[in-house]
């Protein structure tokens, strides 16, 4: 088993060359991983993969995260955000069950954002405008600013400098089963 475990409180990973993962302007990219979440954790939002800086409604970058234990009146969900200052965009999908592996793929093709869960398209939306270079690290299992820790395990993390299509994502899920 090569999965990385995260405690939901303090454990995370940082890319050694975050600038290679900025994907500025309208560059296409895909974020992909298998996640097995565990109940609890110190964070309401649990980041899987992120390269974003700023605060809500004034962010730049992208993030793939889970909201596994929502507040009353909300629903549990997985989320892919592609954010520009004054223009946060989120596409939502299902979140995997506790202790069960789920596959998440976030795709930006230069014009639209797509979120796939277990090889099936969950949601899509137009995502216009340019991302600018960031100074924050590319992080795994937490937000670049040091919060929003993921509790569980991540495996087969892949970041592509291109948009994978639905057939490729479905194939990745099928090959892993």
């Amino acid at each position: 088993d090569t999965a990385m475990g995260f405690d939901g409180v303090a454990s995370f990973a940082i890319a050694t060359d975050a600038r290679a993962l900025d994907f500025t302007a309208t560059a296409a990219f895909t974020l992909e991983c298998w996640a097995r979440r565990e109940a609890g954790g110190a964070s309401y939002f649990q980041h899987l993969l992120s390269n974003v800086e700023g605060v809500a409604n004034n962010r730049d970058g992208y993030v793939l995260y889970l909201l596994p234990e929502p507040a009353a009146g909300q629903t549990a969900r997985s989320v892919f955000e592609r954010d520009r200052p004054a223009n946060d965009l989120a596409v939502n999908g299902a979140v995997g069950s506790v202790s069960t592996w789920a596959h998440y793929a976030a795709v930006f093709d230069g014009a639209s954002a797509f979120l796939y869960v277990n090889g099936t398209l969950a949601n899509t939306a137009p995502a216009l405008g340019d991302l600018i270079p960031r100074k924050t690290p590319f992080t795994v299992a937490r937000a670049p600013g040091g919060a929003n820790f993921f509790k569980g395990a991540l495996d087969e993390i892949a970041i592509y400098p291109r948009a994978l299509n639905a057939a490729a994502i479905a194939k990745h899920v099928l090959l892993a089963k």
Side-chain angles (χ1 to χ4, degrees):
D1 184 12
T2 58
M4 294 182 291
F6 299 95
D7 64 10
V9 177
S11 58
F12 64 97
I14 294 179
T16 56
D17 184 6
R19 299 300 59 89
L21 303 171
D22 272 350
F23 304 119
T24 58
T26 57
F29 64 91
T30 301
L31 311 173
E32 183 178 43
C33 69
W34 285 89
R36 183 183 66 217
R37 71 180 184 87
E38 298 303 328
S43 300
Y44 180 69
F45 298 103
Q46 296 188 14
H47 285 215
L48 301 176
L49 307 169
S50 70
N51 185 337
V52 65
E53 69 183 18
V55 296
N57 296 317
N58 194 25
R59 282 189 285 249
D60 183 66
Y62 57 85
V63 58
L64 175 60
Y65 66 89
L66 304 179
L67 179 60
E69 298 171 9
Q74 295 183 333
T75 57
R77 61 191 176 275
S78 55
V79 182
F80 170 42
E81 287 188 13
R82 183 180 180 275
D83 300 327
R84 296 179 304 112
N87 187 5
D88 290 354
L89 171 76
V91 289
N92 302 309
V95 65
S97 300
V98 170
S99 300
T100 303
W101 286 103
H103 181 268
Y104 300 97
V107 179
F108 177 67
D109 69 359
S112 294
F114 304 83
L115 177 62
Y116 295 83
V117 178
N118 293 323
T120 301
L121 179 63
N123 206 340
T124 185
L128 304 175
D130 291 354
L131 296 181
I132 56 176
R134 292 165 294 287
K135 295 180 177 103
T136 55
F138 176 91
T139 56
V140 175
R142 79 152 208 210
N148 303 324
F149 289 89
F150 171 70
K151 183 175 183 182
L154 295 174
D155 202 3
E156 298 185 29
I157 296 169
I159 297 102
Y160 301 92
R162 65 186 183 283
L164 294 183
N165 63 29
I169 292 166
K171 183 177 179 182
H172 291 180
V173 172
L174 184 63
L175 288 173
K177 290 187 176 187

